[in-house]
Amino acid sequence: VTTAPVNPADAPVTKVISGLQTGVDTLGLEVAKSLGLSTGGTGTPDMGQEGGRKPTDAHGVVPVTPAQEAAFKELYPKTYSRGQLYYLPRTDMNVANSDATVYFATDTDSSGLAATRKYAEKRGKPFFLFGTDFSTAAELRKLLQDNNVNVLNIAGNRGSKLTEEFRDQAAAVLRGALSATAPVNPADAPLATVTPAAEPPVDEDVVDDFMEADEVRSQIAEETSDAPDALDAELGSYDE
């Protein structure tokens, strides 16, 4: 593919942030780091990932603080479970600390997508969904340019939900959009064709009823003697 220099003003993103979940979050940070961009963001209180893993490289992501959790509860007053406070402040902080959020998902009906979109709307921040708002690197680059995005929040499905094909395509789109050079031909041959599911409307109840995710299951099990059925009822069906 022939490439041509791009004026730095045409590639405004200088930093990428995320919540450091497995899958899209980590992929976005790795792509940004490979391109020499700054990375960071806000993670869960214990920096936990899917399956109870801990990141070997945090890419500048730091845990959410008690003060940030308190500010979150003040901004969105309701009664929260432990699991809601484990994830939602992190999600909101990354939206708040960025100029826009891009979201890659094979599951467009996930609670994580609903929550991220909700907080972007509440804070008046642009939100771009892959397959709906953009499908190629050129389209994403234009959205970032048109919205003067300097700090980009990259979010999406966790690792266990991503196929290798989808992961490669997301990486190619991000790399093409964020790179200091861009293909002269905008149709820079995506690695795979993905037909996304129809985008569901924002359901406030989905977010308001957010429950704990699978990856904090072991944490709660250590703290309580609840039977598995009781834990399932408390944890609900949170999905990123």
Side-chain angles (χ1 to χ4, degrees), residues 121-198:
E121 290 178 348
K122 294 284 190 182
R123 290 185 175 277
K125 299 293 186 76
F127 177 91
F128 308 124
L129 179 64
F130 175 66
T132 298
D133 300 305
F134 68 95
S135 296
T136 68
E139 291 172 346
L140 177 55
R141 176 184 283 274
K142 187 174 189 309
L143 287 171
L144 300 179
Q145 293 169 353
D146 290 349
N147 288 274
N148 195 30
V149 177
N150 298 124
V151 179
L152 179 65
N153 178 33
I154 297 177
N157 288 157
R158 55 185 173 174
S160 62
K161 286 192 170 188
L162 303 183
T163 64
E164 197 65 31
E165 183 179 63
F166 186 88
R167 185 190 301 271
D168 288 346
Q169 185 177 23
V173 169
L174 286 172
R175 183 175 295 278
L178 299 175
S179 178
T181 60
V184 171
N185 178 6
D188 50 304
L191 298 181
T193 299
V194 174
T195 303

Side-chain angles (χ1 to χ4, degrees), residues 72-81 84-85 88 118-119 207-211:
F72 172 84
K73 288 190 288 185
E74 184 175 346
L75 185 62
Y76 306 102
K78 70 182 289 291
T79 300
Y80 290 97
S81 70
Q84 291 171 323
L85 287 178
L88 295 183
K118 173 183 177 177
Y119 296 140
V207 181
D208 291 339
D209 291 339
F210 239 66
M211 299 305 290

